[in-house]
Amino acid sequence: MSDEPQPQQPGQGWAPREPQAADAPQRPAGGRGKVKDRPTGRRRLVPTRRMVLGTFLVGALLVVGGFALGYTLVQIPPANALAVQQANVYLYADGTVLARDGEVNRENVALDRISREARHAVLAAEDRDFYSESAIDPQAMVRAAWNTATGKGRQSGSTITQQYVKNYYLRQEQTVTRKVKEFFIAIKLDREQSKDKILEGYLNTSYFGRNAYGIQAAAHAYYGIDADDLDAGRAAYLAALVNAPSQYDVIAHPENRAAVEARWNYVLDGMVEEGWLSASERTGMTFPVPRETTVSTGLSGQRGYVVRIVKDHLIENGIVDEASLDAGGYRITTTLRKDKQDAFVDAVNDKLMDRLDQENREVDTYVRAGGASIDPRTGEVVAMYNGIDYVKQYTPNATRRDYQVGSAFKPFVFTAAVDNGSTTQDGRPITPNTVYDGTSERPVQGWSGDRYAPENEDHRDYGDITVREATDKSVNAVYAQMAVDVGPDEVRRTAIDLGLSKNTPSLDDAGPSIALGVATASVLDMTQAYATLANHGEHRPYKLIEKVTKDGKQTVELPERKTRQAVSRQAADTTTSVLRGVVQNGTATAALSAGRPAAGKTGTAEEDRAAWFAGYTPDLATVVAVMGQDPVTAAQKELYGAMGLPRVNGGGAPAEIWGQYTREALEGEPVQGFDLRIQPGADRTLPPVDATGTATGTGGPAPGDPTGDGGSGQTPDDERTQDRTPGAPQGQTDGGTREGTDDATPTDGTATGGTATGATATGGTTGGTTGGDTGVGGTDGDDGDDGLAGALLQNSRQRE
C-alpha cells in the first residue's frame, strides 16, 4: 500500500464542505444553537474602554494621594549646617599641618543692595522665567533627566527656587530622597515667600568660587566692589561662575577662558532677549578680566596654592565633589615633603626673586615662576612652587597650561624616534650620532603640509651635525626634520604616553612645529613626562594625595594608579644618555651645581615669554619655568631685560634654581648613578647619503672617541651601560659597559671614570672631550659625567 494519504469519499447523504479556519466559531453539537464570539489570541491583549478608564482613575488617585501625602509630610526645615561648617585640614606627607581652609566668606545683603544688572544677569543665566512661572518646572526636569540618561551630559532641571532650597535647607547629595524633598519644599516656599525674597536668599547662598558665598562676597573677591556697583559685564561673569565656580575662574584656569567667555556671552545675550539690556549697550562690551584675589593670610605663601591644586585634583578625578569639600570635615594627607618644599622656595628666592628690581625695571614686575618635583620611582609629587604668595599672585604656576614649553619638548621627539625605530628621509636609523643638516631656515623634507623652515636661535647655521650635538645646542632645524621623519602623530602619542595630558593646548594641531614646543603643557605635566624617562620608560601617574578621611573616621577611596611601560627602556635610556650631554656640554651647564649625575633640557617659549629647564637625576625629576605675565591684565609678556640681563633662557635662572634645589633636596642621600641600556649602534656616526646613495662622510666612532673602535673593546650584547654607585670596585661593570664612577676622587687633577675640567678619564666605551680635556671613557660621549659629579662633590668645583 502507498503511504500517501488517500482521498476520502463523502458518505452517502453528506455534502462536501469547505475547510474552516482554525479560529472560526464552531457550531454547537447537533448543528443547532447560536455561536458566541469569544476573544481569543491577540484580541485578549487589547484592553477594553472600561479597563483603560479604571486604570486611569486608579493612577490619578495614586498621584493625587501621593502628592497630598508628600505635601503634608514634607515640612520646610531649618537652615542647613553651613553656619557650623567644618574646616578641611591639609597635611604634609609626615603628618604635619600644611594648611586649613573652610572659613565661610559671606556677607548677606538685601535685594535692594544688589544692582539690577546683577539680578538680571543671574536670572538670564539660571532661570529666565523665574517671576512668571511656578517654583518647579516639570518639563525642564524631564528634559534634564533625558539628556543625562542619553549621555548629553549631567544637566540640572532645577529652577532658582529649587536651587535655593538645596543650598539653604538641604544637603548637597544627589539622591532621590533629596530631590523629592526639594520638590515639595520648593512648592511650599513659593506659596509662603515672595519671589523677591526667594531671589534674595538665592543670591546670598550661591557659591561663586574663591571661597565666596553670596554675590556680595563674590563682587569683592573678583572685582573689589560691592554688589550694588556691579555693571552688566561684571555681573554676567559672576552669573556664569555659578555654573562651574572653580573651573570658570579665568585667573586660576586661564586655559578655560574660551569656555568662560562663551558662557558670559550667553548670559548677556539672554539679558538682551529678555529686554533687561539694550542691544546698543551689549554691542562692543569686552570681557571684564577679574583681579588676582586677596585671600586669608592663613593661605599665604605656598599653602593656598597647594590647597587649590589639591581641591582641583580631588574634584576633577571624582574623588570628592566640590559641594562636599565646601561642607568641610576632610583630612587630606598629601605626598609633599616639607623640607623639599622649603628648599624649592629658597632656590627660587636665591636665584630669581632676590635679583629682581621691580621699582626700577618694569619687566621685573612681570616675572613669575613655577616648579614641580617628582620621585620617578614612586610617582609622588614631593614639592611644588607656584608663585611668590597666594595672597598676592593667585594663579598656581605649576598647573597652568598656557605657556609654550619650547625646546624642553625636543626629547620627546627623539624618544619617539628610538621607540618606533624611525629612520631619516634617506633611510638611516635615527640614533644619537645620526648626522642631520643643521642649516637655519632649511625647509623640512617629506612634509606634505605647508612649507616649514624654522630658524635656529640667532639664525646660526650648523651644517652637518649629529643628533647629540643638535640636542646640546638645541638646533631647531634638526628637530623639526626629525619630527617629520618620525611622524608628528607618533611624537604626539609618545608625549602623551610619557605623561603630558591629552588635553594639552596646541598639542593636536601641530605638524613639524610640534618639535619646537608650541604645546602649552603645565610644569607638573612636564615633570611627570621627564620622570617617566628617568624611570627607564615606565610611567607612573603622578600621585599628589596619600590619604583622605571624612569626619576623622571614614576613609575616602582613591582611584587606582596603573603603572605601564610607556616607551621601551632602550628608548628612554638612550634619551637620557643624550640629555646628559646637555648638562655636561650644552645649554644647561648651570645644572652641574647639583653635584650629581644629571640629564635635562632647556627650553625657551616664543618671544621669550617663558624659559624652562626640565631635568632629572636617578632620584628626582624636577621642572622649573620662569614666565612673563602682566600683573594687571594677566597678559603674557616678554622677559627681555629681566634681572638686568639681555635675555632670560632655560640655561639661566631655571637651571640655576634646579641645581640649587636638587642639591638641597637630596642632601644627605647617597649619590646614585644612571643605569642605562642604550640603543645598539648609538656610538657610531651615521653620515647623510647624497643623491647617488653614497655617504657624504666616513662612518666611525662618535665624535670625541679617540680610540676609533668605540671604546675599550668591551661590547656587551645588550649595549648596557651602568654608572657605578659609591663604593663599587674600580673596573666593575656588572655585565655591561660602565659610563664612569660616581665616587671618583680626583688626585692631581685626575678623575677616574669621568672627565672634569683639566682631568683625564679612563674606562667606558666611547670617549669625549670637555673643555679641551681628553676622555677615554663615557659610553655616550658625554665625558663620564659621574666621575665629574664625584669630582664636584669632592672638590666643590663647578664648571661654568
Side-chain angles (χ1 to χ4, degrees):
M1 294 181 59
S2 171
D3 290 333
E4 295 293 328
Q6 302 299 311
Q8 301 295 320
Q9 298 296 326
Q12 187 175 1
W14 290 85
R17 62 184 180 185
E18 294 295 325
Q20 293 181 332
D23 59 349
Q26 302 297 312
R27 185 180 297 276
R32 298 186 180 188
K34 186 176 180 180
V35 178
K36 294 183 178 180
D37 290 336
R38 293 179 180 176
T40 60
R42 295 181 180 176
R43 293 177 60 191
R44 292 181 180 177
L45 300 177
V46 179
T48 65
R49 283 178 294 177
R50 182 179 299 174
M51 293 170 64
V52 172
L53 180 60
T55 302
F56 176 80
L57 290 175
V58 171
L61 288 172
L62 289 174
V63 170
V64 173
F67 182 88
L69 182 63
Y71 191 86
T72 302
L73 294 179
V74 177
Q75 302 297 321
I76 298 178
N80 62 31
L82 260 182
V84 292
Q85 177 185 8
Q86 298 181 68
N88 294 317
V89 181
Y90 299 81
L91 308 172
Y92 286 109
D94 63 2
T96 57
V97 175
L98 190 159
R100 298 176 185 270
D101 76 342
E103 296 178 4
V104 177
N105 175 26
R106 176 173 55 222
E107 179 185 356
N108 290 337
V109 292
L111 194 63
D112 60 5
R113 288 186 56 196
I114 302 171
S115 72
R116 188 177 300 274
E117 291 83 354
R119 285 177 264 167
H120 288 157
V122 171
L123 292 174
E126 298 297 319
D127 189 356
R128 298 178 186 181
D129 299 322
F130 171 75
Y131 277 95
S132 60
E133 298 294 339
S134 64
I136 59 172
D137 185 351
Q139 183 178 356
M141 294 171 67
V142 171
R143 181 176 63 249
W146 173 256
N147 288 338
T148 301
T150 55
K152 296 181 179 179
R154 191 173 182 176
Q155 299 184 17
S156 172
S158 301
T159 62
I160 276 181
T161 305
Q162 289 175 275
Q163 293 181 56
Y164 172 51
V165 168
K166 180 184 69 174
N167 292 341
Y168 191 69
Y169 295 104
L170 302 175
R171 296 174 64 87
Q172 299 288 331
E173 72 271 18
Q174 295 291 331
T175 64
V176 174
T177 301
R178 198 222 77 198
K179 293 296 291 185
V180 171
K181 289 182 179 179
E182 176 186 300
F183 180 89
F184 288 109
I185 294 172
I187 294 174
K188 285 190 171 184
L189 198 67
D190 198 43
R191 294 172 62 88
E192 297 180 11
Q193 293 187 9
S194 68
K195 291 285 189 181
D196 281 352
K197 192 67 176 176
I198 293 172
L199 180 60
E200 176 184 301
Y202 175 76
L203 291 172
N204 279 312
T205 57
S206 294
Y207 182 60
F208 293 83
R210 296 193 180 185
N211 201 34
Y213 291 85
I215 198 163
Q216 171 75 349
H220 276 277
Y222 289 90
Y223 295 110
I225 59 177
D226 289 326
D228 59 357
D229 292 327
L230 288 168
D231 57 22
R234 292 181 174 88
Y237 175 65
L238 295 185
L241 283 170
V242 176
N243 190 257
S246 296
Q247 296 304 307
Y248 279 5
D249 187 339
V250 295
I251 301 300
H253 294 283
E255 69 274 13
N256 293 338
R257 179 158 176 170
V260 176
E261 290 197 23
R263 180 73 177 172
W264 178 74
N265 283 314
Y266 165 81
V267 174
L268 290 175
D269 292 341
M271 294 174 69
V272 173
E273 291 173 10
E274 296 296 326
W276 297 328
L277 179 68
S278 68
S280 60
E281 290 179 281
R282 171 72 179 90
T283 303
M285 290 181 67
T286 57
F287 182 74
V289 178
R291 68 175 187 170
E292 292 197 346
T293 189
T294 300
V295 296
S296 167
T297 54
L299 296 178
S300 61
Q302 298 298 307
R303 293 190 293 271
Y305 297 119
V306 172
V307 168
R308 180 69 266 163
I309 291 170
V310 169
K311 290 179 73 171
D312 286 347
H313 186 80
L314 290 169
I315 295 168
E316 292 168 6
N317 288 279
I319 301 170
V320 181
D321 63 73
E322 186 168 2
S324 298
L325 273 176
D326 293 338
Y330 288 91
R331 190 173 183 86
I332 302 161
T333 303
T334 71
T335 59
L336 301 175
R337 270 64 165 177
K338 188 176 188 306
D339 58 339
K340 292 179 172 57
Q341 194 68 9
D342 292 343
F344 221 142
V345 174
D346 290 343
V348 174
N349 288 339
D350 292 345
K351 300 300 183 181
L352 180 64
M353 296 303 170
D354 291 348
R355 299 178 180 180
L356 302 178
D357 184 356
Q358 297 185 353
E359 292 184 1
N360 298 308
R361 286 192 297 265
E362 182 181 4
V363 65
D364 282 0
T365 66
Y366 303 153
V367 174
R368 304 285 187 272
S373 189
I374 291 177
D375 182 337
R377 296 161 298 189
T378 64
E380 293 178 352
V381 181
V382 297
M384 287 189 292
Y385 183 92
N386 285 281
I388 58 170
D389 192 331
Y390 188 66
V391 175
K392 299 176 181 178
Q393 295 177 5
Y394 184 61
T395 306
N397 292 325
T399 56
R400 64 191 301 168
R401 291 185 180 134
D402 58 336
Y403 281 86
Q404 292 181 346
V405 301
S407 293
F409 191 94
K410 286 174 180 173
F412 307 152
V413 182
F414 180 71
T415 303
V418 179
D419 196 46
N420 288 281
S422 301
T423 61
T424 63
Q425 295 293 306
D426 55 12
R428 292 169 293 130
I430 298 175
T431 75
N433 294 302
T434 301
V435 175
Y436 272 90
D437 184 352
T439 302
S440 182
E441 299 171 70
R442 168 190 176 274
V444 296
Q445 305 298 310
W447 173 241
S448 59
D450 295 337
R451 181 180 184 275
Y452 188 68
E455 300 175 358
N456 296 331
E457 186 176 0
D458 299 327
H459 301 276
R460 183 175 176 182
D461 293 330
Y462 292 92
D464 286 349
I465 187 172
T466 65
V467 170
R468 184 185 305 282
E469 294 172 300
T471 308
D472 289 350
K473 299 171 181 176
S474 202
V475 181
N476 291 337
V478 170
Y479 269 90
Q481 182 62 59
M482 191 188 302
V484 173
D485 295 344
V486 178
D489 288 340
E490 287 297 332
V491 172
R492 184 179 303 111
R493 179 188 61 79
T494 298
I496 294 171
D497 286 345
L498 289 172
L500 265 60
S501 169
K502 62 182 179 181
N503 299 320
T504 300
S506 300
L507 184 61
D508 288 338
D509 54 1
S513 64
I514 192 172
L516 277 56
V518 296
T520 57
S522 73
V523 170
L524 184 55
D525 287 344
M526 290 291 286
T527 309
Q528 181 173 232
Y530 273 76
T532 303
L533 293 175
N535 199 39
H536 308 294
E538 188 177 59
H539 173 70
R540 297 178 183 273
Y542 73 77
K543 181 179 181 181
L544 183 58
I545 298 170
E546 184 66 41
K547 184 180 180 181
V548 179
T549 58
K550 178 72 167 70
D551 296 329
K553 53 185 178 180
Q554 178 185 353
T555 300
V556 178
E557 184 177 355
L558 299 175
E560 182 182 359
R561 295 168 60 243
K562 296 182 179 180
T563 300
R564 57 184 172 79
Q565 194 71 33
V567 297
S568 68
R569 174 167 183 168
Q570 187 180 95
D573 286 1
T574 304
T575 300
T576 297
S577 75
V578 171
L579 296 184
R580 293 172 69 189
V582 177
V583 175
Q584 286 295 100
N585 313 310
T587 56
T589 55
L592 289 170
S593 61
R596 292 182 178 250
K601 185 70 184 76
T602 57
T604 306
E606 188 176 3
E607 296 180 331
D608 279 20
R609 294 178 178 177
W612 297 69
F613 179 68
Y616 52 93
T617 70
D619 315 278
L620 202 58
T622 306
V623 175
V624 180
V626 175
M627 311 162 182
Q629 178 178 324
D630 190 297
V632 178
T633 66
Q636 294 187 12
K637 304 291 286 187
E638 300 171 354
L639 289 175
Y640 297 115
M643 297 183 288
L645 302 173
R647 297 186 62 187
V648 175
N649 52 43
E656 293 171 0
I657 293 168
W658 186 95
Q660 177 176 321
Y661 162 74
T662 301
R663 184 178 67 251
E664 294 181 4
L666 296 177
E667 186 177 2
E669 298 184 20
V671 176
Q672 299 292 333
F674 288 103
D675 180 7
L676 304 179
R677 297 177 184 173
I678 63 174
Q679 178 187 30
D683 59 342
R684 293 286 174 173
T685 303
L686 299 177
V689 178
D690 61 20
T692 66
T694 304
T696 58
T698 58
D705 181 3
T707 65
D709 61 0
S712 62
Q714 294 176 322
T715 309
D717 294 336
D718 62 357
E719 293 290 332
R720 183 169 185 244
T721 66
Q722 181 182 25
D723 289 330
R724 208 184 90 209
T725 55
Q730 187 170 343
Q732 175 182 328
T733 61
D734 191 23
T737 303
R738 193 180 73 241
E739 288 195 320
T741 59
D742 298 321
D743 59 343
T745 303
T747 303
D748 298 328
T750 301
T752 305
T755 305
T757 305
T760 301
T762 60
T765 60
T766 304
T769 58
T770 304
D773 305 336
T774 300
V776 189
T779 303
D780 49 25
D782 59 2
D783 314 314
D785 63 328
D786 301 326
L788 176 57
L792 287 167
L793 288 171
Q794 295 293 333
N795 287 0
S796 301
R797 293 186 299 181
Q798 177 180 347
R799 183 178 138 198
E800 298 297 332

